[in-house]
Amino acid sequence: MTTIALPIALGIIMLGLGLSLTLADFARVLKQPKAVITALFCQLIILPVVCFGLVLLFDLPPVLAVGMMMLAASPGGTTANLYSHLFRGDIALNISLTAVNSVIAVITLPVITNVAILYFEPFDDQLGLQWDKALEVFAIVLLPVALGMLIRRFWPRFADGMDKPVRIASVVILVVVIAGAVASNWKLLSENFAQLAVITILFCLISLGIGFVVPRMLKIGRRQAIATSFEIGIHNATLAIVIAQTVLGSTELMLPAAVYGVLMFFIAFGFGFLIRDRTPQQVHAEAPAIR
């Protein structure tokens, strides 16, 4: 059931992402190049290095170490848009970053996962994501997004009407997927929960912090930094779970993403209160965004 249900669940989530995207969201990247390049550098370079350091520091078992690296390589989740809206981030930037990150992840996620597998050697008879498996990642990530964008292009009213139901379904699906991952790996999880809880909390906090501090150091506007923080700090845990379970065929690999998927909601919510934009909303309507 998991090999069928999990890809369908992720497909619904990625379809929901596509329903909220247009080609203009990709084009908007050109209008905020500094913010986008900074976010992508943090997401694609800094975070995997940070995660690798944490994995070595905590001396995780090889299979859990690879699971953490897969999580670090996963793009931002759609939940980032919700948090950005709640704490007055630049939602348009969030949407653009999610769009671009989802495309880039088709390449970076298999690469980082393969490097982690080669280094930590969690399997005796498996080399990692080969070409055919990389094509599966492409199909899982991009095809539902493309379908959602086509629906929005030709049936915009239907897309708008489906936005809320799909978002609700995404949250429900995420909870069910995580519950299933926990239940099927209870022994391994209970043995390593303390380590996984601490390392995922640290990774989430560091990711959120990097996503906010680095843009601010580079004189990028506060609203853009808030958007970047959530985009970098909130990973698509469901994607990591599905790749682990259905593509690599390892339920143990999904445990870091499952623990992270539960804890990150509370961490991101608390972090949002620390960085939220306290400027009155009417000022935003008058002042242009800093790019």
Side-chain angles (χ1 to χ4, degrees), residues 272-290:
F273 279 101
L274 296 177
I275 66 171
R276 70 186 185 278
D277 190 353
R278 297 170 177 82
T279 307
Q281 288 188 336
Q282 60 266 28
V283 174
H284 294 316
E286 299 170 0
I290 299 174

Side-chain angles (χ1 to χ4, degrees), residues 162-176:
M162 288 299 295
D163 181 65
K164 186 175 181 179
V166 170
R167 285 179 183 272
I168 294 174
S170 298
V171 174
V172 173
I173 289 167
L174 177 61
V175 171
V176 172

Side-chain angles (χ1 to χ4, degrees), residues 147-163:
L147 177 60
M149 291 181 66
L150 285 175
I151 293 173
R152 183 165 188 82
R153 172 67 178 83
F154 293 104
W155 299 282
R157 289 187 178 180
F158 176 77
D160 290 337
M162 288 299 295
D163 181 65

Side-chain angles (χ1 to χ4, degrees), residues 19-225:
L19 289 174
S20 67
L21 294 176
T22 66
L23 291 177
D25 296 319
F26 291 89
R28 192 186 299 116
V29 169
L30 300 176
K31 298 179 180 179
Q32 295 181 305
K34 186 177 180 181
V36 171
I37 291 172
T38 300
L40 291 178
F41 179 79
C42 292
Q43 175 82 43
L44 302 176
I45 305 298
I46 297 180
L47 287 195
V49 173
V50 168
C51 185
F52 182 72
L54 288 174
V55 165
L56 294 181
L57 178 65
F58 281 81
D59 193 26
L60 288 182
V63 67
L64 298 183
V66 174
M68 278 298 302
M69 294 304 297
M70 283 182 59
L71 176 64
S74 299
T78 53
T79 312
N81 300 344
L82 175 62
Y83 276 89
S84 189
H85 172 72
L86 185 62
F87 295 105
R88 295 187 182 179
D90 186 336
I91 303 173
L93 176 60
N94 269 110
I95 294 172
S96 296
L97 285 172
T98 301
V100 173
N101 247 334
S102 297
V103 174
I104 295 177
V106 174
I107 299 172
T108 57
L109 198 155
V111 169
I112 292 174
T113 299
N114 277 342
V115 171
I117 288 174
L118 288 173
Y119 183 88
F120 293 106
E121 298 182 344
F123 314 118
D124 294 330
D125 57 349
Q126 189 169 320
L127 296 176
L129 288 170
Q130 302 304 301
W131 175 244
D132 58 333
K133 299 297 184 181
L135 288 178
E136 286 186 43
V137 176
F138 172 84
I140 289 172
V141 174
L142 289 190
L143 291 185
V145 174
L147 177 60
M149 291 181 66
L150 285 175
I151 293 173
R152 183 165 188 82
R153 172 67 178 83
F154 293 104
W155 299 282
R157 289 187 178 180
F158 176 77
D160 290 337
M162 288 299 295
D163 181 65
K164 186 175 181 179
V166 170
R167 285 179 183 272
I168 294 174
S170 298
V171 174
V172 173
I173 289 167
L174 177 61
V175 171
V176 172
V177 166
I178 291 173
V182 170
S184 61
N185 297 275
W186 179 253
K187 182 178 179 181
L188 183 62
L189 178 63
S190 60
E191 292 173 352
N192 296 276
F193 181 79
Q195 271 188 314
L196 283 176
V198 174
I199 193 172
T200 50
I201 289 173
L202 275 177
F203 178 65
C204 188
L205 284 171
I206 292 172
S207 301
L208 289 164
I210 289 173
F212 182 76
V213 172
V214 173
R216 293 300 287 160
M217 289 174 60
L218 296 176
K219 309 300 182 184
I220 292 173
R222 189 178 187 87
R223 294 185 65 219
Q224 286 72 44

Side-chain angles (χ1 to χ4, degrees), residues 209-277:
I210 289 173
F212 182 76
V213 172
V214 173
R216 293 300 287 160
M217 289 174 60
L218 296 176
K219 309 300 182 184
I220 292 173
R222 189 178 187 87
R223 294 185 65 219
Q224 286 72 44
I226 292 173
T228 301
S229 175
F230 288 122
E231 192 65 34
I232 291 173
I234 299 179
H235 292 264
N236 192 335
T238 311
L239 175 59
I241 291 172
V242 171
I243 298 301
Q245 171 68 36
T246 64
V247 180
L248 287 172
S250 172
T251 53
E252 294 90 348
L253 276 178
M254 69 170 69
L255 289 180
V259 174
Y260 170 89
V262 173
L263 298 177
M264 65 93 174
F265 286 106
F266 306 101
I267 300 167
F269 192 76
F271 192 84
F273 279 101
L274 296 177
I275 66 171
R276 70 186 185 278
D277 190 353

